[in-house]
Amino acid sequence: MRIFSGIQPTGVLHLGNYFGAIRQWVELQEGNECIYCIVDYHALTNEDTEPDELRRARRELALDLIACGIDPERTILFVQSDVPEHTELCWILGCVTSYGDLTRMTQFKQKAAEREFVNGGLFYYPVLQAADILLYLADHVPVGEDQLQHLELARRIARRFNYRFGRLFPEPQPILGKGARIMSLADPDRKMSKSYGPEHYVGLMEPEDSIRKKIRSAVTDIGLTPGQEMSPGVANLFTILELVAPQEVVEELRREHREGKLLYKHLKEVLYEHLMKTLAPIRERRAELAAREDIDEVLAAGADRARKIAREVLGEARARVGLD
Ligand code: TYM
């Protein structure tokens, strides 16, 4: 399988990114051809992106990903703007994309509702995302649940292009993991995200006491009676626990919950311990990598490899539509 996925350089890698996507990215490297992209063109749609911060965030994210287990020798790891073919394919695909479909994108609607100035890039964001994937003829895309609608659109775009100009693009399928939907600890009705503020996410590389504090103050519910349904906050803590703790630990706590005996303070302590155990090797590797000065070269080499594929596919797409 050829796997493609992307992540925005927003300055913080959080548990949602890790359990929703990156952990699958790492596992999929075994036996597949993987291409992972730091999508800095996409990050420009966030109005508050400062140029220097963007330069820094790209490198930091690359190091974070390597610390998580992405192997830039085996896998193509690169920065989107190093391969400008993405934007050209985006334009071609935009011309087979329905305006109506774009207006129905829930992420666009949500973000547009929160802003006074809505830039055109935000509207076109999903077309660029489709171009990212189709440029490599990728058939599988490991993502969190929040990206499913964008992937559905990518398939519609591929279908429309293929129908009009002859089959070129596979219709990319999502790969969803167990952590596809991690919610904010402070507000379990919203997804974990950097955009709502620091209390709404837990960073992978955050200081230990800060992580402990965020878990301790996670929203649960008041009191527990036997057989009571799990509130969203408690269910979210169990979702994360299942990703980091052995099955018997989870089962025991679930039983206590069913019997109305579970102390949330205890649940949070167990979660904190197992989470830190899972993150420890990543955090250690990240600290070692901090001194790595060749990250620009690593990314440049990734871009060279990506560009070889991208040039060929874009060339074919140009020819199909008559731009050759
Ligand atoms: P981004 O940068 O917001 O997130 C990167 C990945 O993390 C997942 N994710 C989550 N998963 C579970 N729970 C959460 N709370 C959570 N928050 C984030 C996302 O689903 C994503 O998989 N548009 C994309 C980037 C992109 C892309 C692509 C992805 C650009 N081109 C092509 C796949 C293929 C985005 O903003 O992800």
Side-chain angles (χ1 to χ4, degrees), residues 12-29:
V12 183
L13 189 64
H14 57 68
L15 297 185
N17 300 136
Y18 183 66
F19 292 119
I22 312 305
R23 194 138 108 163
Q24 280 70 252
W25 293 16
V26 172
E27 285 164 8
L28 286 163
Q29 292 181 116

Side-chain angles (χ1 to χ4, degrees), residues 51-200:
D52 275 340
E53 171 55 20
L54 184 60
R55 285 183 196 106
R56 202 185 58 81
R58 265 193 314 243
R59 289 197 190 97
E60 300 272 303
L61 178 56
L63 292 172
D64 287 349
L65 293 173
I66 295 171
C68 287
I70 301 299
D71 173 4
E73 299 283 320
R74 221 173 359 158
T75 287
I76 301 183
L77 175 66
F78 75 107
V79 172
Q80 189 183 33
S81 66
D82 285 339
V83 184
E85 283 78 3
H86 286 244
T87 46
E88 187 173 349
L89 184 63
C90 172
W91 185 260
I92 294 175
L93 295 180
C95 299
V96 292
T97 303
S98 148
Y99 167 79
D101 282 350
L102 289 180
T103 61
R104 281 186 285 275
M105 292 293 113
T106 50
Q107 271 196 16
F108 168 72
K109 287 194 282 188
Q110 267 165 14
K111 288 200 171 161
E114 287 163 6
R115 295 182 189 184
E116 211 169 302
F117 177 81
V118 180
N119 64 69
L122 195 64
F123 188 63
Y124 235 59
Y125 183 115
V127 186
L128 181 58
Q129 182 162 346
D132 294 342
I133 302 165
L134 301 183
L135 190 54
Y136 300 93
L137 307 179
D139 32 42
H140 285 85
V141 186
V143 283
E145 210 176 86
D146 60 342
Q147 297 302 316
L148 287 182
Q149 195 188 28
H150 287 162
L151 265 185
E152 168 73 41
L153 180 70
R155 285 195 294 278
R156 286 170 73 89
I157 294 174
R159 221 172 291 145
R160 202 168 286 127
F161 183 99
N162 290 343
Y163 178 74
R164 170 106 166 73
F165 301 107
R167 193 183 140 70
L168 173 59
F169 300 117
E171 293 181 21
Q173 302 300 324
I175 298 179
L176 285 188
K178 275 198 209 137
R181 192 159 179 268
I182 304 290
M183 309 308 280
S184 155
L185 299 184
D187 178 358
D189 292 325
R190 293 182 185 199
K191 71 172 180 185
M192 181 172 287
S193 162
K194 201 197 157 207
S195 27
Y196 307 132
E199 71 274 30
H200 292 285

Side-chain angles (χ1 to χ4, degrees), residues 206-265:
E206 216 170 290
E208 270 179 46
D209 52 337
S210 167
I211 298 185
R212 181 182 280 136
K213 209 183 286 168
K214 285 181 181 177
I215 292 181
R216 261 196 202 147
S217 50
V219 170
T220 50
D221 48 62
I222 25 161
L224 197 55
T225 48
Q228 181 182 310
E229 210 181 297
M230 256 188 216
S231 61
V234 178
N236 190 40
L237 294 178
F238 269 103
T239 300
I240 304 173
L241 187 70
E242 287 199 333
L243 293 160
V244 295
Q247 198 51 36
E248 60 274 16
V249 173
V250 184
E251 277 317 312
E252 169 66 16
L253 292 172
R254 275 196 191 283
R255 190 180 54 75
E256 286 182 23
H257 182 273
R258 270 196 309 276
E259 293 170 0
K261 290 184 195 151
L262 178 64
L263 293 176
Y264 293 141
K265 188 161 173 276

Side-chain angles (χ1 to χ4, degrees), residues 249-286:
V249 173
V250 184
E251 277 317 312
E252 169 66 16
L253 292 172
R254 275 196 191 283
R255 190 180 54 75
E256 286 182 23
H257 182 273
R258 270 196 309 276
E259 293 170 0
K261 290 184 195 151
L262 178 64
L263 293 176
Y264 293 141
K265 188 161 173 276
H266 176 58
L267 169 64
K268 289 173 176 179
E269 272 160 16
V270 176
L271 173 60
Y272 173 77
E273 262 167 43
H274 285 284
L275 177 64
M276 294 319 285
K277 220 183 270 171
T278 303
L279 297 186
I282 298 174
R283 291 161 66 94
E284 277 161 27
R285 236 175 293 144
R286 181 63 179 87

